[in-house]
Amino acid sequence: MTNRGVVYTGPGSVEVRDISFPDLVLREGPGVPKSNVGRKCEHGVILKVLVTNICGSDQHMVRGRTTAPEGLVLGHEITGEVIEVGRDVEFLEKGDLVSVPFNVACGRCITCRRQDTHICLNVNPERPGGAYGYVDMGGWVGGQSEYVMVPYADFNLLKFPDKDQAMEKILDLTMLSDIFPTGYHGAVSAGVGVGSTVYVAGAGPVGLAAAHACQLLGASVVIVGDLKEERLAQARSFGCETINLMDHDDAGEQIEQILGIPEVDCAIDAVGFEAYQHGTDHEESPAVVLNTMMDVVQAGGSLGIPGLYVTEDPGAVDDAAKIGSLSIRLGLGWAKAHHFVTGQSPTMKYHRDLMKAILSGKATIAEVVNATVISLDEAPQGYKDFDQGASKKYVIDPHGALT
């Protein structure tokens, strides 16, 4: 059988190319550590990809801001149908419709056993944690493709209970692989609860998902900050307050106009290391979001930081930032006794409950992030539009199943 996928071909460039059809072995390829080559995955399945999404984290690689190798097949947000089952798989069958957590996890190590599947110790020989189609994450082949292999399937995959119901909600359910649990993790990490006032930095898909998660958790006011008015308009469409950091660079002053005081109970960073100085959309300032959050979060408050920070950034503004060393006002955070929670979302900790919220109609994440369906061949243009700040979450439909 044939297979096609979205391939990173160098800074600023992706192409749809013919790629290998997956089997239950991790083969040699771009980004696969030598010690992972030839890894047998009889515990895995082959999926026909139903939908797969473009993520802001993919954009960091495509912009050339990581050490991702050319030829890497992209895509870690995957929903699909099981078409082949490995010998050691017990609880999944051909025809099952499943969501794939972007974290590759073994289910056996000490971190997986305590639900920290984002830092699994067995799937990546280079560091804790694995993911599909991502730099330094074990070399697992990405899922912006027609077919993909998923290891440790019994543990990793979330099976939808009713296929017809799932297809009716597929644009919501596709967000379970990453951005909805990631946004929710940011809100939980920040300590959002009933009555909370929250500042969410960034109105991209993860920021919007985090804002919706805050609403689900009972926040009284959710304030979203961004430099792009189109994205802020999307945040207002589902009941958020907004502050435009291009027109007015003092976040605390704008928050005071909304709440009467220049501070919030807690905050979420949905921007990460490619942040721009407030008042400009071209002058990079990788620590500005973290420092702003420390300014506006009350003493004793928490900062949830699902936004991506890297250990190697070839395009950074200075030598320190190239190795992930930022000018953070840690003294301010210490003085205010802030609680910081960083790292990827442990998707499996949240995805089943969020699935139930979607299926019951309590969560409307597709509307929140403006889910927009495109074909596999339209993916390169989707990357370009997303990079220009389009307020859309691009959902790739490789087989035309949604059209």
Side-chain angles (χ1 to χ4, degrees):
M1 295 180 69
T2 59
N3 192 20
R4 296 192 307 149
V6 180
V7 177
Y8 170 63
T9 55
S13 176
V14 300
E15 296 178 7
V16 178
R17 292 182 174 179
D18 292 332
I19 61 175
S20 298
F21 191 85
D23 58 7
L24 298 175
V25 179
L26 182 55
R27 305 291 183 182
E28 185 175 5
V32 183
K34 289 183 178 180
S35 52
N36 242 9
V37 172
R39 186 168 182 156
K40 297 179 180 179
C41 297
E42 289 293 342
H43 41 64
V45 299
I46 307 299
L47 297 183
K48 179 181 179 180
V49 177
L50 176 62
V51 281
T52 177
N53 313 326
I54 297 175
C55 180
S57 297
D58 298 321
Q59 289 284 22
H60 296 307
M61 292 186 291
V62 173
R63 293 186 189 116
R65 298 299 296 269
T66 72
T67 55
E70 294 183 15
L72 186 73
V73 181
L74 300 171
H76 56 270
E77 300 189 11
I78 310 163
T79 305
E81 180 184 0
V82 177
I83 62 168
E84 182 181 335
V85 178
R87 179 194 61 208
D88 298 333
V89 175
E90 293 186 72
F91 307 116
L92 292 164
E93 299 176 349
K94 291 182 181 179
D96 286 344
L97 196 60
V98 295
S99 176
V100 184
F102 78 93
N103 322 110
V104 183
C106 73
R108 297 156 168 79
C109 68
I110 187 170
T111 55
C112 283
R113 288 174 182 270
R114 68 185 188 214
Q115 291 192 301
D116 289 333
T117 52
H118 56 312
I119 45 174
C120 174
L121 303 177
N122 288 332
V123 296
N124 182 0
E126 297 190 333
R127 63 175 67 177
Y132 304 90
Y134 211 84
V135 60
D136 297 331
M137 285 292 177
W140 301 96
V141 180
Q144 285 175 14
S145 56
E146 294 174 320
Y147 301 91
V148 70
M149 188 268 283
V150 174
Y152 303 103
D154 279 329
F155 179 68
N156 281 297
L157 293 178
L158 174 66
K159 177 183 172 181
F160 300 138
D162 183 285
K163 290 180 70 173
D164 291 337
Q165 183 189 29
M167 288 304 299
E168 292 175 4
K169 297 273 190 177
I170 196 63
L171 289 182
D172 295 285
L173 295 172
T174 187
M175 307 306 167
L176 291 173
S177 56
D178 181 358
I179 67 162
F180 200 10
T182 293
Y184 193 83
H185 178 62
V188 171
S189 299
V192 177
V194 174
S196 296
T197 58
V198 192
Y199 172 56
V200 179
V206 169
L208 298 173
H212 189 40
C214 291
Q215 293 173 333
L216 293 173
L217 290 166
S220 60
V221 182
V222 181
I223 303 169
V224 180
D226 202 279
L227 299 166
K228 295 185 180 297
E229 181 55 36
E230 180 184 353
R231 290 186 167 190
L232 293 173
Q234 182 64 26
R236 289 192 294 271
S237 75
F238 59 98
C240 297
E241 300 284 349
T242 61
I243 59 175
N244 189 321
L245 294 165
M246 174 65 78
D247 297 339
H248 188 351
D249 63 5
D250 190 321
E253 202 170 283
Q254 292 191 73
I255 289 171
E256 185 171 16
Q257 292 175 8
I258 297 168
L259 298 178
I261 55 174
E263 65 180 17
V264 290
D265 296 328
C266 50
I268 302 166
D269 174 5
V271 177
F273 72 105
E274 282 195 81
Y276 292 106
Q277 183 63 41
H278 297 164
T280 171
D281 61 358
H282 62 273
E283 182 182 337
E284 283 201 25
S285 181
V288 67
V289 170
L290 297 173
N291 287 331
T292 297
M293 286 177 16
M294 285 187 280
D295 276 334
V296 303
V297 171
Q298 68 177 3
S302 295
L303 285 64
I305 310 172
L308 177 66
Y309 290 86
V310 295
T311 56
E312 294 182 82
D313 175 8
V317 293
D318 55 49
D319 289 340
K322 286 181 179 179
I323 58 171
S325 182
L326 309 182
S327 298
I328 298 170
R329 295 187 64 197
L330 188 59
L332 176 60
W334 188 93
K336 296 177 77 173
H338 283 156
H339 180 207
F340 297 78
V341 180
T342 67
Q344 297 176 20
S345 165
T347 303
M348 291 178 63
K349 187 178 291 186
Y350 309 113
H351 67 174
R352 187 174 300 276
D353 287 341
L354 293 176
M355 175 188 72
K356 291 188 289 185
I358 288 170
L359 295 177
S360 69
K362 298 295 184 184
T364 55
I365 187 65
E367 291 181 9
V368 162
V369 300
N370 194 17
T372 303
V373 179
I374 59 175
S375 69
L376 188 63
D377 289 320
E378 292 173 314
Q381 186 61 48
Y383 269 94
K384 291 178 182 178
D385 294 344
F386 191 30
D387 192 47
Q388 294 301 311
S391 186
K392 298 177 180 179
K393 176 66 174 178
Y394 287 106
V395 177
I396 300 171
D397 176 11
H399 296 276
L402 275 62
T403 55

